[in-house]
Amino acid sequence: MHFTSEQRLDDGVLEREITLGEIPGILWTPGSASASAPVPLILLGHPPLGLHKMHSRLAARARQCAADGFAAATIELPGSGDRPRWAAAEQARADLRQALQAGEPVSDEIVDALILPLVDQAVPEWQSLLDALLELPEIGGPFGYSGGVISIGVRLALVEPRIAAAVLFAGSFVPRVMYEEARQVTIPLHVLLQWDDEGNDRQAALDLFDAFDSKEKSLHANMGGHTGVPQSAGDAAARFLTRHLS
C-alpha cells in the first residue's frame, strides 16, 4: 500500500489517498490518532458509482467515524471509477436497465451476473486492505463494516473474522445464494431499510434480514426513498458501531 496524497480537513481529520496495488482508496484518521493508541477501523462500503462521485458522502461518514474515535477507509470497487470496465458487468447493467424500463421482473440470472462477480472480486480486495492497514501504527482493531452493496457486506461478515460488527444498507439486488450465506452470519448486525425505496425489493430485504443467524440483529426501517435516509438513522448506526468497536 502506498500513500499518494494527504490533506488535513478543517476538523483535524487526516485524509490520505492510497493505492493498494493498482486499486485507489482513501484512509481517514482522527486528528489525534498519531499521538495516541491505535484506533479501531470502519470499512466504508459504497455503491459502484466511483470514489470521485461518492467522495463527499464518504468523507462525511468518515468524519463522523473520526468524531467517534475511529479511523475509516474505503477502496474503489471492481469495474468502477478509473478501474478497468468488465464487459460482463456492463452487459448485466444493460439487461437490468432494459428490464426496468420495460416494467419486467428482474430475473435471477441478471441479478447473479450483476452482483456475484463483484462480490467474488471485491471481498478479497477488502481483506487485502485490512492486511495493509494493520501494518500502520495508528490502526488497530476491532474492525467494522458499514454500508455499500449489501451482498459484499454479507460475504465479508461471513468470511472475514476480523469484522466484529456490520451496518448493512438494504437497497441493492441480492442473489439467491446470498440468503444461504446469510444463514451462516453470526456477528452483530444493524440493518437500514428505506421502506419506499423505488429500486429495492422490500420483501427480499426482509427475507435476507430474517435469514441472518446473528444473536444480535436489528432492522431499522424508515419511510422514504433510496436517498431519504434520515440523520437519526445514521446516528443510531454510529451508536451501534461505537458499542461494538470501542
Side-chain angles (χ1 to χ4, degrees):
M1 185 179 72
H2 299 283
F3 294 103
T4 58
S5 71
E6 69 173 59
Q7 63 171 327
R8 184 74 64 176
L9 306 182
D10 55 15
D11 54 1
V13 173
L14 181 61
E15 178 182 280
R16 288 174 282 182
E17 293 188 356
I18 62 175
T19 57
L20 185 70
E22 297 182 352
I23 305 170
I26 309 173
L27 170 65
W28 294 269
T29 48
S32 60
S34 61
S36 62
V39 296
L41 176 89
I42 298 173
L43 299 176
L44 298 182
H46 53 90
L49 300 175
L51 282 184
H52 293 300
K53 185 172 183 178
M54 293 298 300
H55 178 266
S56 61
R57 290 167 61 184
L58 287 165
R61 291 166 59 194
R63 292 168 90 156
Q64 178 62 59
C65 293
D68 294 333
F70 306 130
T74 193
I75 51 175
E76 189 72 84
L77 291 177
S80 299
D82 295 328
R83 297 188 65 180
R85 290 293 184 264
W86 290 354
E90 294 294 318
Q91 183 60 54
R93 293 189 185 103
D95 293 342
L96 173 63
R97 287 193 297 270
Q98 182 177 350
L100 293 176
Q101 290 169 359
E104 299 172 351
V106 178
S107 69
D108 289 345
E109 290 75 18
I110 292 176
V111 173
D112 287 353
L114 186 68
I115 301 297
L116 290 180
L118 176 65
V119 173
D120 290 343
Q121 182 167 337
V123 168
E125 293 175 352
W126 284 103
Q127 291 179 293
S128 295
L129 177 65
L130 276 181
D131 293 338
L133 292 174
L134 272 173
E135 297 180 4
L136 301 177
E138 62 266 39
I139 303 298
F143 302 96
Y145 176 85
S146 177
V149 178
I150 195 168
S151 294
I152 292 177
V154 172
R155 177 72 60 80
L156 265 175
L158 175 61
V159 304
E160 178 47 70
R162 292 172 293 188
I163 300 295
V167 173
L168 302 178
F169 294 0
S172 51
F173 292 101
V174 181
R176 290 295 173 186
V177 68
M178 299 311 300
Y179 293 90
E180 296 303 319
E181 296 194 17
R183 292 185 177 93
Q184 303 172 63
V185 171
T186 59
I187 66 170
L189 297 174
H190 182 105
V191 182
L192 298 178
L193 170 65
Q194 287 300 104
W195 200 251
D196 304 303
D197 189 338
E198 60 281 0
N200 182 44
D201 184 333
R202 182 195 303 163
Q203 189 58 53
L206 295 174
D207 291 344
L208 183 65
F209 177 79
D210 189 51
F212 291 123
D213 195 38
S214 303
K215 289 184 172 58
E216 180 185 342
K217 61 178 181 179
S218 57
L219 178 67
H220 299 256
N222 293 279
M223 304 304 291
H226 188 77
T227 59
V229 180
Q231 180 61 45
S232 59
D235 294 341
R239 289 193 296 272
F240 166 83
L241 288 170
T242 297
R243 187 166 71 252
H244 288 286
L245 303 182
S246 295

